[in-house]
Amino acid sequence: MSLLHTPKNRPATKSVQLMTTCLCDAFFADVARATVEILEYLGVDIELPDGQTCCGQPAFNGGDWNASRKVVRHVIKTFKGSKPVVIPSGSCAAMIYHGAPLAFEKETDLPAVNALAGRSWELVDYIVNGLGVKQWEGTFKAKIAFHSSCHLRGSESSKAIRQLLNSINGIEIVPLDEAEQCCGFGGTFSVSFPNVSTSMGTLKVEKLLENHPDYIVSADMGCVLHLGGIIDKSNNNTPRLHVAQVLRDALKNAGKLKK
Amino acid sequence: MNTSQEIDAYARDIKKDIRNAVYDGCKKTSEKRYSVLASDFKDADALREMAGKIKQHTLEHLDDYLQKAEANLQKNGAHVHWAMTGEKANEIIADIMRQHNCKRMVKAKSMVSEETHLVSYLEKQGFECVETDLGEFIVQIDGDHPSHIVKPIVHKNRRDIAKSFEREGLGDYNDDPTTITRRARVYLRNKYIEADVGLTGANFVSAESGRIVLITNEGNARFCMAANRVHIAIVGIEKLVPRDRDLAIFLNLLARSGTGQQLTVYTQFIGGPKASSQPSGPEHTHVIFVDNRRSEVLASECKEILRCIRCGACLNVCPVYRQTSGHAYRSIYPGPVGAVLSPLLAGEKFPELSDLPKASSLCGACNEVCPVNIPIPDLLLRLRDKAKREGAKKGMKGTPPMGLWATLASQPGMWQAGLAAGHTMNYIPTEMIPHPAAQAWQASRKLPKFQGGEFRKWFKNRN
């Protein structure tokens, strides 16, 4: 039920630039590591631009587009060239291919923003629709609740993720009530509207845990930061994983990657 | 939890039964919408996209289509009036009533009449004015305001309504919905008969034929219109569609999106006052096109919001609306569409409603259900930027300032130093971090362990 807004004709070569995302840079190192491991398993050559910081989304969503443009200009400077830019986050990817062009509508450097947008991929979208990998090897014996993050709307990512997860031996994806509902994070929204944000998150956690999954899985660490933050405050300790970690661990479990 | 945002405080303090009524009502209608669209159409998205294009086209050529609509309405025998403001629209309506010697109005649901505060205006002028839509009738006897575009009393339960009916002398306390409805029906039937003018809105007006289209489930709009000598339709200028045949797509989408019905119970196509060959119907038809700042919206960077056909689907699906209810938005139009439209219609009072566009996690569910495919999250973002540029304080409250962050994030050296320094966070409980954003976060959520720079180190040192 969504209209695509991912750019058309993106390059999908096997030599890419990786945008770690600031959340993985600061809090979720293993997610970035899993991203590297699965991409290299697929034979992808990874360049990690050292100057990278953040995609500019916090200020964009917070309403300070001037500040956001400053950061986006830095992103453009850091991610030079024509390789695909692969991003293990639906929301940072959407910032690059949808948000940034919006914020630069009236700016003279819009073409540079559009050029970056035109080679940016959410990780699993790149794997499935870029590289053409339609199923995943390996084993992951667990019940998971998959939270399809809001920024995957209007892209092929959600479908791609389900396709890969479903193809893994041993995995069971539990049904979710109100699967389309937001986790309540929303960047600065989570601190400027703490009551609404927490109610939304609490409800989402309730729905995710309803069928007692072993893991909550998502493609966005923003959602995981929020859901995890709520779960860790409660007595529950259901672990959370990024899709990349599931894909990596599935390979490891089947002996296809070094443990 | 402490909050600096009014909508957030409203959600915190809302009575539990109101919140539950709103949440349950919205969830149920959203699910019905989804299943009816999915079962009836192979590609409902294609329909939404097409409907959005038709509306956008209409807006881009609104001057032409309004002239066409005026000419065709006149050809059908209707009088056409133009009102730049809500006050002017109210005055025109009062004048029409005086001109035709009318004292009592029965009124169908119309959002634009809420904008102009028509009922209270007419009452002050000495006219009687009765809302005939059941929900709006209950809102009227309670002196309340609608909290939803389609379901004005989604915030009330049947016990509240039974008490109101008892208070108004409509019978002893009885909270059986059928009894409540029957009592309203008996009361309103007399009002229809006593009335001398009926007022309706218009869901659509076809520019090609001057046909006015009205949809209801209660038949009250038809009764208002057909049983009176004078019919007044108050219409926002954006309500046009170019051709009659365009109605096919809009009528297919409107009820499905709004209530999950394939079609509402009543769909009326009104071609003007009764012809001499017709036995009954209104003798006079007056159509008032209301601008009330719509042309300003049309000239703004958010003009797509004028595509809206008032189905309420974005309210029903919105996780924020479900937590807050409509009254939290302090305006006629609540929810995602209201968070865009209300601050714009406020004109120079934009700063007072500049917090509305902030009341969203930007989840995009509204865009996904919109029958005319309005990119609501993009418009919310544009208004956030506008609020910041214009220094509207209400909107910025509680949002951490981004200047320092932007500087940090555009200088890799400083960024990496920050990643290293951030490790001190692991030794300070978040409760102790003296920053409002950290406080707002930690009240209900924990932060994971800080691992700044660890991935970069691993990437460099492996092999």
Side-chain angles (χ1 to χ4, degrees), chain A residues 25-26 53 61 105 153 178, chain B residues 23 363 382 384 409 451 456:
Chain A
D25 213 358
T53 58
N61 287 356
E105 253 169 356
R153 294 180 210 270
E178 296 188 19
Chain B
Y23 174 82
C363 79
R382 287 204 167 108
R384 291 179 183 191
Q451 306 177 334
R456 292 176 191 241

Side-chain angles (χ1 to χ4, degrees), chain B residues 80 87 170 190 250 260 361 390 449:
Chain B
V80 178
E87 295 79 43
L170 295 171
N190 287 324
F250 290 107
S361 64
E390 296 176 3
K449 195 166 162 275

